[in-house]
Amino acid sequence: MILFPAIDLVGGRVVRLARGERAHMDVYSDDPVAVAESFRDAGAAWVHVVDLSATLEEDEAARAANDAAIRAICAVPGISVDAGGGVRDLAAVERLAGLGVRRIAIGTALVRDPAFAAEAARQFGDLVVADVAARAGEVRVNGWREGAALSADELVARLAGLGYRHLVFTDVARDGMRCGVDAAAYAHVAEVAGFPVVASGGIASLDDLRALAALGPGVIEGAICGRALYEGSFSLGDALAACRPRDAA
């Protein structure tokens, strides 16, 4: 199971939001490259970067600072970058690819612009990742601020039909809250998708990671972890160990 330590960016700074709310933001670092290097040095092969300034449609200065940070993170040796946030057209996919991003997550536009969603899957294949967020089974969009009047099951099945083979599923009610994961919910999403998914939201303990890893590689491709790492609930080294099968630990 791949562990994706998270770097959420606002204006070039590393932050975390609670439940995706801009009003509940904690700043953890002004040096995202140093954060990425610390993750690499602890053994991580991937980092998950979210451009919150693009997601929240902040000003050009904030977005330019995030672009510079993403480019710099992508230049860190030994790290692959999965990134998203505000990816609404093919030009945004190409821009992130040009910065060096290895996987590019598409969120709101999967719902708002089905033609773009289909074309992105057709043109970019494994480079693009479907980023689906839901609360109580309903898809959330626009930085999770709005409901989409669409069930997560319906959207996931539609995206699988378009050819998406990487999918991040975020439980919005749990994200940034360190309240534990609902492993059964991810197993259900993987069943609907027909391929393993990346779990995001609520990881609070090593037992959460072990519970996800225990579902097996046919269900869980990876897990994104943010606040629990930044606030010292466990070390990244221990988290990586928890992601390995018991017989490989």
Side-chain angles (χ1 to χ4, degrees), residues 92-152:
V93 177
E94 292 167 354
R95 176 179 59 81
L96 286 170
L99 295 176
V101 176
R102 295 285 302 279
R103 288 189 184 183
I104 298 167
I106 303 170
T108 294
L110 297 173
V111 176
R112 296 279 173 81
D113 192 346
F116 160 60
E119 185 62 17
R122 189 189 71 79
Q123 282 197 34
F124 294 101
D126 277 351
L127 179 66
V128 292
V129 178
D131 189 352
V132 176
R135 187 195 298 271
E138 182 192 28
V139 173
R140 304 292 296 182
V141 296
N142 194 20
W144 307 344
R145 292 170 291 184
E146 301 171 15
L150 176 69
S151 76

Side-chain angles (χ1 to χ4, degrees), residues 169-230:
F169 184 77
T170 302
D171 185 343
V172 172
R174 294 172 183 263
D175 188 78
M177 300 306 293
R178 290 191 301 158
C179 57
V181 300
D182 182 353
Y186 295 110
H188 173 75
V189 172
E191 182 178 9
V192 173
F195 55 84
V197 302
V198 175
S200 176
I203 291 172
S205 69
L206 295 175
D207 283 342
D208 289 326
L209 292 171
R210 294 185 186 109
L212 292 170
L215 294 173
V219 174
I220 299 293
E221 181 185 18
I224 294 169
C225 188
R227 187 178 291 271
L229 287 172
Y230 290 103

